[in-house]
Amino acid sequence: MDQEKIDRYYEKFDNSVKQWDENVEKYREKYSLLKVLPIKTAIRIVKAGPVTLHLLISLLNHEQVSKKTKRRVSATIAYFILPFDVIPEAIVGPVGYVDDIVVALTLIDSLLNGDNEEEKQIITELWRGTSEELTALRGIIKGIDVVRYIGKYLQKIMPSS
């Protein structure tokens, strides 16, 4: 995939989530994942969506990223794209990206905690936000129990083996 196309998509996505803040309160009661997050945290997570998705797609595009990591990144991007998730974007708009971005940030955190130093360097080079922002987002992910919510949801929609 052409990196310039990835960059243009990032800009478009980034512009579309800049002013959605007022909608998060409206959906808070309906979606338990939003209940466990402070409003400002949910807003911060969604606003990190464009830079997070840009990083994932750029990792797929990078020739030095391992096939194993690319498979994990592909599965995470699929979660972003597929309409079946904890908070559906089609119904709630950008608020619905909270769970998608949390899944993506969980993967990114996992990769940054892993053993592959080259991929860690690639991630930090491709990240379009500040290093402080990435550190803060990783801290948010560690501080909430969203993986449990998403895991329960995935168990509902995926057949057991």
Side-chain angles (χ1 to χ4, degrees):
M1 184 177 241
D2 179 15
Q3 190 65 39
E4 286 183 24
K5 286 182 181 179
I6 295 168
D7 293 344
R8 281 193 304 273
Y9 180 77
Y10 159 76
E11 295 295 332
K12 185 178 176 182
F13 186 27
D14 188 44
N15 289 333
S16 73
V17 297
K18 287 203 179 199
Q19 297 182 359
W20 67 275
D21 311 30
E22 64 281 353
N23 292 327
V24 71
E25 187 68 49
K26 180 167 74 173
Y27 297 110
R28 200 168 169 78
E29 290 306 310
K30 185 172 182 177
Y31 298 99
S32 60
L33 178 57
L34 290 175
K35 288 181 190 176
V36 301
L37 296 172
I39 297 278
K40 288 183 180 184
T41 300
I43 292 168
R44 187 173 194 177
I45 289 170
V46 171
K47 288 191 174 185
V51 70
T52 303
L53 187 58
H54 179 273
L55 173 62
L56 294 177
I57 296 170
S58 296
L59 287 171
L60 280 183
N61 207 34
H62 201 286
E63 42 192 58
Q64 293 173 328
V65 172
S66 70
K67 288 182 181 180
K68 178 182 176 185
T69 296
K70 286 184 178 185
R71 283 191 300 272
R72 294 174 69 192
V73 168
S74 294
T76 303
I77 292 171
Y79 187 80
F80 245 104
I81 295 168
L82 293 173
F84 311 109
D85 58 9
V86 176
I87 308 172
E89 298 82 46
I91 296 171
V92 300
V95 175
Y97 287 114
V98 169
D99 59 311
D100 304 325
I101 297 162
V102 166
V103 168
L105 290 170
T106 301
L107 171 64
I108 292 165
D109 184 63
S110 168
L111 294 172
L112 288 170
N113 286 328
D115 296 329
N116 190 325
E117 295 301 320
E118 184 179 17
E119 286 185 357
K120 289 179 189 180
Q121 183 64 35
I122 292 167
I123 290 168
T124 57
E125 288 171 7
L126 292 174
W127 177 255
R128 286 197 135 183
T130 65
S131 60
E132 293 81 11
E133 178 185 31
L134 181 56
T135 300
L137 290 166
R138 290 175 71 197
I140 289 169
I141 297 308
K142 290 176 182 169
I144 55 179
D145 197 12
V146 292
V147 175
R148 183 180 64 182
Y149 288 95
I150 294 167
K152 285 180 183 178
Y153 178 79
L154 291 175
Q155 286 175 345
K156 286 181 190 176
I157 65 166
M158 298 178 90
S160 59
S161 349

